[in-house]
Amino acid sequence: MDSKEFIANVRRSLGREEGSQVTPSEATHMSLSSQQVESWAQAITRGIEAHADEYMGQLEKTAVEAGWRVARCATAAQAASHIRNIVRDVEATSVLHSAHPALEALHLGETLIGTGANLEAMVLNDTSDREVQRDALRQKAINADIGITGVDYAIAETGTAVLLARKGVSRVVSLLPPVHIAVVEKGQVLPSLDELFTLRRKEFLHNNLGSYMNLISGPSRSADIEYQLVTGVHGPGEVHMVLIG
Amino acid sequence: MQPRIKQFPQLAAAALKDEQIQNNLLGLYNGFHQARIAASEATPNWDELSDRGRAIKAHTIDNLDYYLEMVERTVTAAGGKVFFAKDSDEATQYVIEVAKARGVKLAIKGKSMVSEEMGLNHRLEEAGIEPVETDLGEYIIQLADETPFHIIAPAIHKSKEQVSDLFQEKLGTPPMTEISDLAAEARRQLRKKFIEADMGITGANFVVAETGTVALVTNEGNGRMSTSMPKLHIAITGMEKVLPSIEDLGIMLRLLIRSATGQRISSYVTTVTGPRKSDDEDGPEEFHLVLVDNGRSKLLADPALRESLYCIRCGACLNACPVYRKVGGHAYGWVYPGPIGAIVSPMLTGLSDGKDLPYASSLCGACKEACPVKINIPRMLLYMRHQLAEGDNYPEHKTAPLGEAITFKLWRLSLSNSLSLKIFSGLARLLQKPFAKDGRINKLPPPLSAWTNLRTFPALASRPFRKRWKS
Ligand code: SF4
């Protein structure tokens, strides 16, 4: 149906006049101005630094409750050796990772030497045809045993890792392999969902929303048969959250 | 999907006798229902959150034309396409056209209740496109060619033995006794499909007007698969799913997920804004959003029923409802069961056909209490009963049969003074003689048998109270 006609029908059903002005009610955040969003966002950014320890401590607990296997590491070197152990335990032969900055300090290449695992970045480069590269990367993700990512944020309220669309971050590194490892640095943890969506709104206002966002909170699971919980239905059944700091 | 809402009495009676269904319904109550109560109690300011969620929905629905225009603008700006479908047929045709233009052979589907309204799977098959449901519960009922039993857990009525038999018959797998093995088999079967599929079809739990974003809530990851693997993604949902701002999502996600399964948050919440960007590593090249009316404007137009469009399809009212918990989801005969289904199904498919549904409630109020956006379901059910019997808003659907009208006239007459009460009760005492036993009436002849098929009825005492009082 023509969209004008469709919307006109909705308007008629509501008994509203064409061209009526709408002021967003106070219930919706739509009523907040972009200046308000900016200053909220600034306050949030200050808050996550000021309360970094507290939020990290909460996340450690809620992530376990959400089904993550959580390791709190004091340094990047400790985190790297923890990841090395996971790769060994899983007997992984193929490990993929994203291009998150948090992973650089882990020197994954050196870390995994001697584990027998082949490590590759799931990142497009500018050297050849993108479609050809995309097909090859996809095939790698289908066959990989472990996917390692950083996060853009984590959420203390819900035990969530937040992955945003950005260059070098594939949608499927954290989805197709049966094991996912998410690395969270101190200062990345938001207290609750509300702060996340305020920051997202700010990013939208800066034209920087990206094509997707994934909130990941524990393993893939289902209780569709007899209400009994099973994990690893379509996504990873084993998920690790590695907290640094 | 062909509604069978006319057959509520028969379908309900069959479910009551089905031990398997009765058993699993109990599980639903002990599981989802109790988990929801615990989750809402553990959420600080749940009540405030609930009021806020309701106010957001009320504002959006009251100004839906405005927000739909915004959705069209923003989704287009993000590189997607929006299609407004006035009914199932239009929506189905659009999906098939888009699929054909891309030469789609295999479509993977995330859970979408609206696609159930459309009977989309059968229509896709007719068009030569293989649709595969990927939510475990939906996959099971697709194999069984059934409809969802529950909006959150579509196959919750089946036992693992039944699922094993079904897999054996349809997939040729050996018998399995462990639920984890059944799930692993589904994973294997569906993994192949995810890889091969040319198109992903999903629903949308929310559509954010300001940003042109669609939000999907899943636990299995099939929603992520369907929006990441194929080259084409179509999201289909009801036009009432719109929210103004992306910042409203925090509130609505909490209300939805905690009321649905009692989790703090589901394993995955995915938001999608348009197709992939040129720098993205992967994702669909094309994104379409289909917003469906299919009778919803009738609910908009009636101020007494408008709030039914605040529903976020959490399923809490089903789990809380003493009637749903006995008759189960299939008795309601269409896509939406339970208390909210008793309003929505008749209104979307035909009020007079669904005349039994508004009566499938004891009006105890458990649904209203459970609802995270405080929808006053009992009020609307009562309103629909009134409209069916003697209201003027849906004259073509008035259904009170003549017999019923006469009965109630006589009833009124019998109670109007003491003489007529004496006469009528004396008459009734006489007539009940052949049927009453030990003070109960166990079986009445038709049409009165409707009262006694599933319950007994107290008989009139042999000596009226008035007489006993005197002596
Ligand atoms: S009516 Fe309320 S409780 Fe029932 S499904 Fe809708 S939102 Fe949930």
Side-chain angles (χ1 to χ4, degrees):
Chain A
M1 192 173 192
D2 175 57
S3 65
K4 286 221 170 55
E5 217 178 298
F6 183 98
I7 290 167
N9 182 47
V10 168
R11 191 177 297 123
R12 259 196 310 281
S13 306
L14 286 163
R16 276 159 49 84
E17 299 288 318
E18 193 170 348
S20 352
Q21 280 304 308
V22 173
T23 319
S25 90
E26 271 178 22
T28 158
H29 289 83
M30 197 79 149
S31 57
L32 301 180
S33 68
S34 50
Q35 289 91 322
Q36 279 169 307
V37 175
E38 290 292 339
S39 64
W40 264 117
Q42 275 172 21
I44 291 167
T45 315
R46 281 196 302 272
I48 55 179
E49 276 159 28
H51 300 277
D53 273 322
E54 182 191 338
Y55 296 157
M56 195 71 148
Q58 278 172 23
L59 175 68
E60 196 176 349
K61 195 166 146 278
T62 53
V64 170
E65 286 162 0
W68 295 93
R69 304 185 192 182
V70 180
R72 180 124 185 218
C73 304
T75 62
Q78 275 181 21
S81 89
H82 179 67
I83 289 173
R84 183 184 165 87
N85 288 340
I86 298 171
V87 172
R88 282 221 156 125
D89 289 347
V90 174
E91 295 176 10
T93 56
S94 162
V95 178
L96 276 184
H97 70 90
S98 63
H100 281 107
L103 302 185
E104 279 163 28
L106 302 180
H107 306 292
L108 287 173
E110 289 155 44
T111 302
L112 299 191
I113 290 174
T115 59
N118 178 44
L119 178 76
E120 257 184 283
M122 181 114 178
V123 180
L124 289 176
N125 58 47
D126 293 328
T127 57
S128 62
D129 181 70
R130 292 206 152 178
E131 274 323 295
V132 177
Q133 287 187 55
R134 282 194 173 108
D135 283 347
L137 288 177
R138 179 186 154 105
Q139 204 47 50
K140 280 181 187 144
I142 289 168
N143 296 324
D145 302 309
I146 299 182
I148 305 178
T149 67
V151 303
D152 290 276
Y153 307 105
I155 301 175
E157 175 193 8
T158 49
T160 301
V162 182
L163 275 83
L164 304 180
R166 53 151 93 204
K167 191 160 166 43
V169 180
S170 146
R171 301 177 193 224
V172 298
V173 180
S174 56
L175 179 64
L176 287 174
V179 180
H180 173 211
I181 303 173
V183 179
V184 180
E185 292 176 300
K186 198 151 93 179
Q188 288 190 305
V189 191
L190 300 168
S192 84
L193 289 168
D194 296 322
E195 287 76 14
L196 171 70
F197 286 109
T198 301
L199 293 177
R200 298 265 57 211
R201 181 130 186 258
K202 190 201 98 176
E203 285 151 12
F204 166 74
L205 295 172
H206 288 232
N207 222 341
N208 204 11
L209 189 64
S211 56
Y212 74 90
M213 169 175 73
N214 276 312
L215 309 191
I216 305 175
S217 312
S220 153
R221 67 187 113 205
S222 170
D224 274 354
I225 305 175
E226 291 191 3
Y227 200 77
Q228 223 182 85
L229 188 71
V230 287
T231 53
V233 183
H234 294 306
E238 183 180 328
V239 292
H240 297 264
M241 195 182 267
V242 181
L243 309 177
I244 305 179
Chain B
M1 177 191 156
Q2 276 311 316
R4 298 203 295 162
I5 57 176
K6 266 187 189 170
Q7 297 165 38
F8 179 80
Q10 295 81 355
L11 294 169
L16 286 171
K17 292 196 196 102
D18 190 322
E19 243 177 74
Q20 170 69 45
I21 286 182
Q22 291 305 318
N23 208 0
N24 289 16
L25 280 167
L26 206 63
L28 210 57
Y29 180 70
N30 293 330
F32 284 153
H33 183 69
Q34 303 299 342
R36 171 186 63 79
I37 293 173
S40 56
E41 280 170 1
T43 304
N45 314 325
W46 178 259
D47 201 50
E48 241 170 73
L49 206 62
S50 203
D51 284 332
R52 182 83 187 267
R54 180 180 171 85
I56 293 172
K57 287 302 295 184
H59 167 75
T60 320
I61 296 293
D62 281 343
N63 299 286
L64 191 59
D65 53 333
Y66 171 80
Y67 286 110
L68 287 174
E69 266 172 2
M70 196 182 288
V71 169
E72 188 182 23
R73 225 173 28 245
T74 53
V75 171
T76 312
K81 292 207 177 71
V82 185
F83 180 73
F84 292 97
K86 80 167 184 303
D87 56 22
S88 302
D89 273 346
E90 272 194 12
T92 308
Q93 269 164 24
Y94 181 77
V95 173
I96 291 176
E97 264 167 41
V98 173
K100 289 225 154 132
R102 274 218 161 237
V104 170
K105 297 262 166 337
L106 174 64
I108 47 172
K109 287 187 67 207
K111 207 160 85 165
S112 152
M113 299 304 285
V114 175
S115 83
E116 297 280 346
E117 278 180 43
M118 296 156 60
L120 182 61
N121 288 352
H122 288 298
R123 300 281 301 274
L124 285 172
E125 278 165 13
E126 284 160 24
I129 298 161
E130 183 193 348
V132 181
E133 294 288 351
T134 58
D135 173 86
L136 180 57
E138 290 278 345
Y139 180 61
I140 292 168
I141 64 163
Q142 189 189 19
L143 288 178
D145 200 14
E146 289 178 18
T147 58
F149 188 81
H150 187 282
I151 55 183
I152 301 298
I156 203 70
H157 58 299
K158 292 214 178 290
S159 67
K160 59 176 195 275
E161 290 78 17
Q162 287 169 323
V163 177
S164 169
D165 289 349
L166 187 68
F167 280 14
Q168 232 177 306
E169 184 198 330
K170 304 278 171 158
L171 307 172
T173 53
M176 283 173 261
T177 50
E178 296 299 321
I179 290 174
S180 53
D181 291 339
L182 291 165
E185 183 57 37
R187 178 185 166 107
R188 254 192 306 282
Q189 298 280 345
L190 290 169
R191 191 44 85 102
K192 287 185 280 193
K193 304 286 185 187
F194 281 125
I195 292 169
E196 287 165 21
D198 322 287
M199 168 161 89
I201 301 175
T202 66
N205 294 93
F206 302 103
V207 177
V208 179
E210 181 186 28
T211 56
T213 300
V214 158
L216 292 170
V217 175
T218 75
N219 267 313
E220 298 175 7
N222 58 325
R224 291 185 64 190
M225 287 282 198
S226 308
T227 59
S228 305
M229 298 292 280
K231 293 218 152 77
L232 167 63
H233 171 209
I234 303 188
I236 310 172
T237 198
M239 64 178 184
E240 78 280 15
K241 290 291 173 66
V242 179
L243 294 178
S245 166
I246 196 161
E247 276 193 273
D248 298 330
L249 272 180
I251 294 167
M252 300 314 290
L253 286 171
R254 285 191 194 99
L255 290 174
L256 169 64
I257 298 165
R258 293 174 198 191
S259 305
T261 60
Q263 293 166 283
R264 263 195 208 122
I265 191 169
S266 56
S267 293
Y268 305 113
V269 174
T270 303
T271 67
V272 172
T273 312
R276 75 164 184 232
K277 305 254 184 303
S278 65
D279 265 357
D280 289 359
E281 265 56 31
D282 39 28
E285 292 164 9
E286 237 179 86
F287 170 76
H288 300 253
L289 173 63
V290 181
L291 291 169
V292 183
D293 180 329
N294 206 28
R296 287 163 173 79
S297 46
K298 275 190 269 176
L299 294 166
L300 266 190
D302 188 338
L305 296 176
R306 192 178 288 172
E307 67 170 310
S308 62
L309 293 173
Y310 303 173
C311 175
I312 53 176
R313 305 272 185 262
C314 71
C317 58
L318 279 57
N319 308 331
C321 176
V323 176
Y324 177 90
R325 283 205 318 262
K326 289 314 273 184
V327 303
H330 286 159
Y332 293 81
W334 202 52
V335 184
Y336 303 107
I340 190 66
I343 297 166
V344 170
S345 297
M347 291 308 295
L348 296 193
T349 66
L351 182 55
S352 35
D353 284 351
K355 66 177 177 358
D356 290 313
L357 294 188
Y359 290 90
S361 165
S362 63
L363 302 179
C364 70
C367 48
K368 181 183 167 198
E369 206 171 297
C371 179
V373 285
K374 302 193 176 178
I375 298 177
N376 195 337
I377 297 172
R379 182 191 58 72
M380 287 189 279
L381 291 173
L382 210 54
Y383 168 81
M384 288 167 74
R385 292 182 190 182
H386 175 73
Q387 290 304 325
L388 281 163
E390 52 185 8
D392 297 322
N393 295 351
Y394 301 93
E396 69 284 15
H397 289 295
K398 249 191 221 176
T399 54
L402 192 62
E404 195 177 306
I406 293 173
T407 312
F408 276 100
K409 287 253 159 61
L410 287 174
W411 179 255
R412 193 155 100 187
L413 185 68
S414 74
L415 293 172
S416 56
N417 62 58
S418 70
L419 179 67
S420 63
L421 180 63
K422 253 185 221 160
I423 296 173
F424 274 97
S425 56
L427 201 63
R429 216 164 266 121
L430 208 67
L431 287 173
Q432 78 177 10
K433 273 234 165 95
F435 308 106
K437 204 176 156 230
D438 302 328
R440 309 287 304 177
I441 298 173
N442 296 320
K443 216 173 167 59
L444 283 168
L448 299 176
S449 56
W451 287 87
T452 52
N453 275 344
L454 294 164
R455 65 201 146 177
T456 64
F457 204 63
L460 282 174
S462 53
R463 283 187 61 199
F465 179 72
R466 277 171 289 124
K467 281 195 186 153
R468 278 188 277 170
W469 181 254
K470 266 189 199 151
S471 55

